[in-house]
Amino acid sequence: MKKLLAIVAEFSLFLLLDVIGGVFYHPFHIETQLSGARSFAWDGILFMLLAWLLLLLVGAARKRFASSALPLTIALVLAALAGFFLKVGFATHQW
């Protein structure tokens, strides 16, 4: 039960970071032009990966890498899929 709650909390953190980086705040300014006026901002994905890496490093420093790596990775993949289905990071620019 503890691991399920950890996955839900980490999923929420990763999805929040994806929304912040994909919609509101673009510090890296990395965008891919898709077609015409559509583009995708990679900042949310980068925020999620940086947080994932930081949390893995904290787990390794606490000597709990084996027990924290799998739930973190599951939460990251689920948040990335949820962000894709919610179209977080996709934008249409009208000039």
Side-chain angles (χ1 to χ4, degrees):
M1 188 66 176
K2 234 197 285 190
K3 288 206 187 245
L4 181 65
L5 290 176
I7 290 173
V8 169
E10 292 157 355
F11 168 80
S12 301
L13 172 73
F14 289 139
L15 190 60
L16 179 67
L17 288 173
D18 191 20
V19 169
I20 289 171
V23 178
F24 299 114
Y25 183 58
H26 304 287
F28 303 119
H29 298 290
I30 301 173
E31 288 190 9
T32 300
Q33 202 66 21
L34 298 175
S35 65
R38 293 186 49 85
S39 66
F40 180 76
W42 289 94
D43 296 324
I45 302 292
L46 290 175
F47 279 167
M48 286 194 315
L49 288 175
L50 288 173
W52 176 73
L53 185 64
L54 180 68
L55 289 171
L56 281 179
L57 290 174
V58 167
R62 295 182 65 203
K63 297 187 181 357
R64 297 175 190 256
F65 183 79
S67 65
S68 67
L70 185 62
L72 272 172
T73 306
I74 290 172
L76 176 74
V77 170
L78 290 176
L81 287 173
F84 176 74
F85 287 123
L86 292 173
K87 299 206 181 287
V88 175
F90 290 95
T92 302
H93 303 286
Q94 296 178 0
W95 292 292

